[in-house]
Amino acid sequence: MKPGYLPVEDHGIIGDLHTVALVGTDGTIDWCCLPRFDAPSVFGSLLDAGRGGSFAVTVRGTERTKQMYMPDSNVLLTRFLGRDSVAELYDFMVPDHPSCPSPGVRRIVRQVRVLRGRATIDVSCRPAFDYGRAPHTVTPVPGAGVVFAGPAGFLVLRSSVPLAPDGGAARATVTLEPGESLQLSAEWDGAGSVREGVVRPFDGAEATRLLDRTLRYWDGWLRQSQYRGRYREAVERSALALKLLVYQPTGALVAAATTSLPEAPGGGRNWDYRYTWIRDAAFTLYALMRLGFTEEAAAFVDWLHQRCAQAPPGTGLQVLYGIDGRPDLPETVLDHLCGYGGARPVRIGNAAARQLQLDIHGELMDSVYLYNKHGEPISYELWEALARQLDWLQKHWEEPDDGIWETRGGRQRFTYSALMTWVAFERALRIARHRGMPAPVEQWRDTAAAAYRFVQERCWSPEPGAYCQFPDSPTLDASLLVMPLVKFAGPRDPRFLSTVRRIEEDLVSDSLVHRYRTDGSDGLDGGEGTFNLCSFWYVEALARAGRIGEARYVFEKMITHANHLGLYAEEIGPAGEALGNFPQAFTHLALISAATNLDRAMTAHHGPADRQCHVR
């Protein structure tokens, strides 16, 4: 790793339900897009230490740092431990929610408190607007802070101590005694309403009020969780991470908070995940409903309804959309950025939006079925919009597609896509039967049967004794671990158990699961790490098959691969390092699903867990 880049896993995340910031263990914010997830970065040194921009708070004489979240919250605490002093840095953003209003204000609050000894704190705020492409000016406001002005808006840095311009940055050095504190608030003003005369100093009383409001919001939100199982700490941290990835105005959920963090050292497989995949949103709907977060589930259903309703007549859904629902996400490369640790390319936008991935209809219908059953009955308007999508799928499901893994090596008739086609029509038939909804029942039943037979007759390979990635393919695919999860196969079906054994032989390494072997056939160069989503699917497959002890071992080993805050990227590298964008929604929702199902299996096998064994 080049100097200037922390390991991906050495970060925490804070957010306000519009955007997030990544905070390193060294006290540096090295990633934040303002005013929302998919906006250009203002702090982006994660992707270029020289040009990207950062907001650093450091304490001199620090020998080690520790990070934790305040209990039941997304307020991050970084502790600077030295021989002569101890200081704590509180980082948070105030959620924008009716119960915790912060209308129009995107604000990063940073408060340093000195606990022991005399501590000298260095502050350096160096924004880089528009991914470091746009120039900006720095205007000091005496006694209050500075104003950074760029083409898209203003970043106002309010402070309790004087700040001095230094080129394109603002800096301060202050020495504090025990019990003293330093307050900073970086506020985005895209409307251009800020003027020097209205910038006020940021004092401790205001910082404390905002901190208290934020802590109350997160505590109140988390109290809705109905999970009381053995893995409560990991599940609740995953829920808190997922909530941070929700864009409050539309209910959309981004796949991850970052772009272009490499899936392999050196780069190549670098993608922009700051958008909403139909597949991810559907799985997340399921995960949050399992925990009792009905408000988020309803918001996702509304967002999905809009996408179905807005699809042009005679077309299927896109794979992914912008968080505001926009369909156009052109993929471009930012050549001026060197990439994380030199890993290029740095991409914004995502060409996968134009891919054909037939499986998304199965995940969509499965989540709508569960919401209709366990949440609220779906509306007639949504049912009609879904029926139009099923009509399209009925006409196109036999076409080759790009598959769940968004390969770029040419389309195939992927087994997983056919499997999820069966799920789409099977769940639609259940809804129609239970609700009496109008439906072409015979046509849907015939299509479901055809998809089922295709998987059994064309995708089962007797020679390896496994379902393969597509007909006549020698490639195993860990996505097929979901067969019992979606009720396609019984968890002890001989063909499924044989497939699990072959996946264990070929794709499992030290209990971690590769999604498939990257031999170049996917149209991409280089390899990748093990895929966290698949590792948690493996846990569920083992648990459902009755291999409870193994499932528990794999799950608890996966817990050790989280970072120090319980967060995961997309993949795990050979040395246990985090690879890919961070934090990854798919990983955390799969953890929730695996934990709840493993709990159920362990309770059935061993009896209820002792309440005293619950980890808070």
Side-chain angles (χ1 to χ4, degrees):
M1 178 56 61
K2 290 185 177 181
Y5 296 90
L6 285 175
V8 171
E9 60 269 23
D10 283 2
H11 289 86
I13 179 176
I14 58 175
D16 62 0
L17 310 183
H18 283 248
T19 189
V20 298
L22 266 61
V23 185
T25 53
D26 61 356
T28 299
I29 294 176
D30 54 16
W31 182 254
C32 183
C33 299
L34 292 169
R36 61 188 216 178
F37 292 106
D38 56 355
S41 63
V42 173
F43 301 121
S45 59
L46 187 67
L47 296 180
D48 192 313
R51 298 182 181 181
S54 63
F55 186 3
V57 174
T58 57
V59 179
R60 295 183 186 179
T62 297
E63 296 189 358
R64 68 183 66 185
T65 61
K66 300 284 187 180
Q67 273 187 333
M68 61 174 283
Y69 281 109
M70 296 291 287
D72 302 336
S73 82
N74 280 312
V75 174
L76 185 64
L77 173 60
T78 305
R79 305 186 69 218
F80 297 88
L81 307 175
R83 292 187 180 276
D84 300 320
S85 67
V86 174
E88 294 182 337
L89 169 64
Y90 293 80
D91 280 309
F92 62 96
M93 300 177 75
V94 183
D96 182 20
H97 188 269
S99 67
C100 185
S102 185
V105 179
R106 310 276 69 81
R107 178 191 287 120
I108 301 171
V109 178
R110 318 197 74 185
Q111 184 181 54
V112 182
R113 302 175 184 175
V114 177
L115 304 183
R116 177 175 64 81
R118 176 181 293 177
T120 299
I121 294 99
D122 294 311
V123 176
S124 173
C125 184
R126 181 175 54 89
F129 292 84
D130 190 22
Y131 304 108
R133 294 181 294 191
H136 66 269
T137 61
V138 186
T139 303
V141 182
V146 299
V147 176
F148 302 96
F154 297 82
L155 183 70
V156 182
L157 179 59
R158 300 167 57 207
S159 174
S160 62
V161 299
L163 296 169
D166 182 7
R171 306 187 192 279
T173 297
V174 60
T175 299
L176 301 178
E177 302 291 339
E180 294 183 332
S181 63
L182 159 67
Q183 284 72 228
L184 300 160
S185 177
E187 301 167 14
W188 177 258
D189 175 20
S193 59
V194 64
R195 296 293 182 269
E196 291 184 19
V198 300
V199 178
R200 297 175 290 104
F202 190 59
D203 60 27
E206 184 178 359
T208 299
R209 285 196 303 272
L210 293 172
L211 175 60
D212 290 344
R213 184 197 305 176
T214 302
L215 288 170
R216 283 196 305 271
Y217 170 79
W218 288 117
D219 181 72
W221 182 82
L222 193 59
R223 286 179 184 273
Q224 300 173 69
S225 174
Q226 298 173 4
Y227 181 80
R228 298 294 182 270
R230 295 165 173 84
Y231 303 105
R232 190 168 175 181
E233 183 176 4
V235 167
E236 291 187 347
R237 178 49 54 196
S238 289
L240 285 162
L242 286 173
K243 181 63 173 175
L244 280 180
L245 299 177
V246 171
Y247 182 59
Q248 182 70 31
T250 65
L253 174 117
V254 297
T258 57
T259 179
S260 300
L261 294 183
E263 296 175 12
R269 298 171 183 257
N270 306 355
W271 314 107
D272 191 349
Y273 278 10
R274 299 171 298 153
Y275 309 109
T276 301
W277 272 249
I278 294 291
R279 181 186 304 111
D280 296 37
F283 276 117
T284 302
L285 174 62
Y286 166 75
L288 292 179
M289 279 199 307
R290 292 291 298 270
L291 301 182
F293 295 108
T294 55
E295 177 185 316
E296 288 71 22
F300 286 144
V301 168
D302 287 344
W303 187 88
L304 292 168
H305 184 184
Q306 292 175 40
R307 304 292 76 73
C308 292
Q310 292 170 3
T315 65
L317 289 171
Q318 280 191 187
V319 176
L320 66 143
Y321 295 85
I323 53 178
D324 55 2
R326 73 188 189 281
D328 190 24
L329 303 170
E331 184 178 300
T332 59
V333 173
L334 301 180
D335 289 321
H336 69 287
L337 296 179
C338 72
Y340 172 75
R344 286 180 166 173
V346 174
R347 292 183 171 99
I348 57 173
N350 200 309
R354 296 304 180 190
Q355 286 191 347
L356 176 65
Q357 296 177 27
L358 296 167
D359 68 279
I360 63 173
H361 299 85
E363 287 108 358
L364 170 64
M365 289 307 304
D366 194 35
S367 64
V368 170
Y369 164 74
L370 291 168
Y371 182 76
N372 181 75
K373 182 178 180 180
H374 301 293
E376 296 288 334
I378 64 171
S379 67
Y380 173 71
E381 289 76 12
L382 175 55
W383 177 250
E384 287 292 287
L386 293 170
R388 288 193 296 272
Q389 287 299 311
L390 292 171
D391 180 62
W392 179 90
L393 181 61
Q394 193 170 22
K395 295 182 177 70
H396 296 277
W397 78 271
E398 296 179 281
E399 297 175 8
D401 75 337
D402 297 291
I404 179 177
W405 304 131
E406 302 182 348
T407 59
R408 300 193 177 188
R411 292 179 174 178
Q412 300 287 348
R413 290 202 64 188
F414 287 101
T415 306
Y416 184 82
S417 297
L419 165 66
M420 297 310 291
T421 294
W422 173 83
V423 170
F425 288 101
E426 198 276 340
R427 300 307 190 266
L429 287 166
R430 289 193 191 194
I431 297 174
R433 182 170 60 251
H434 294 158
R435 292 282 308 281
M437 294 288 202
V441 172
E442 290 188 9
Q443 294 179 32
W444 287 359
R445 185 181 293 118
D446 289 345
T447 305
Y452 190 93
R453 284 194 295 267
F454 177 82
V455 174
Q456 296 289 15
E457 297 171 5
R458 297 284 309 280
C459 303
W460 168 257
S461 182
E463 185 175 344
Y467 295 102
C468 293
Q469 194 170 56
F470 51 84
D472 303 318
S473 168
T475 302
L476 294 167
D477 190 331
S479 68
L480 302 181
L481 290 168
V482 306
M483 283 183 165
L485 281 61
V486 298
K487 312 300 184 185
F488 179 89
R492 304 187 190 191
D493 179 274
R495 284 188 171 188
F496 177 71
L497 292 178
S498 179
T499 300
V500 171
R501 287 192 293 271
R502 290 290 291 111
I503 287 174
E504 288 173 327
E505 293 169 3
D506 196 56
L507 299 181
V508 177
S509 174
D510 189 25
S511 80
L512 302 174
V513 184
H514 293 270
R515 52 183 177 172
Y516 58 87
R517 287 295 175 191
T518 52
D519 56 5
S521 60
D522 60 1
L524 298 167
D525 296 328
E528 61 182 18
T530 56
F531 215 72
N532 293 328
L533 169 68
C534 296
S535 296
F536 285 120
W537 280 348
Y538 179 45
V539 170
E540 288 205 53
L542 292 174
R544 290 171 185 265
R547 296 165 60 181
I548 309 299
E550 294 171 82
R552 182 178 181 182
Y553 171 75
V554 173
F555 183 84
E556 295 188 5
K557 204 167 186 179
M558 274 299 296
I559 295 297
T560 71
H561 286 289
N563 81 343
H564 58 291
L565 297 168
L567 302 175
Y568 293 87
E570 186 174 34
E571 301 178 9
I572 295 171
E577 72 273 26
L579 296 175
N581 286 306
F582 176 89
Q584 178 81 5
F586 231 156
T587 301
H588 285 282
L589 63 91
L591 182 153
I592 292 171
S593 181
T596 54
N597 284 293
L598 178 58
D599 259 325
R600 183 187 300 127
M602 291 174 66
T603 297
H605 191 71
H606 302 297
D610 188 335
R611 287 181 179 272
Q612 294 181 352
C613 293
H614 291 172
V615 180
R616 179 60 176 165

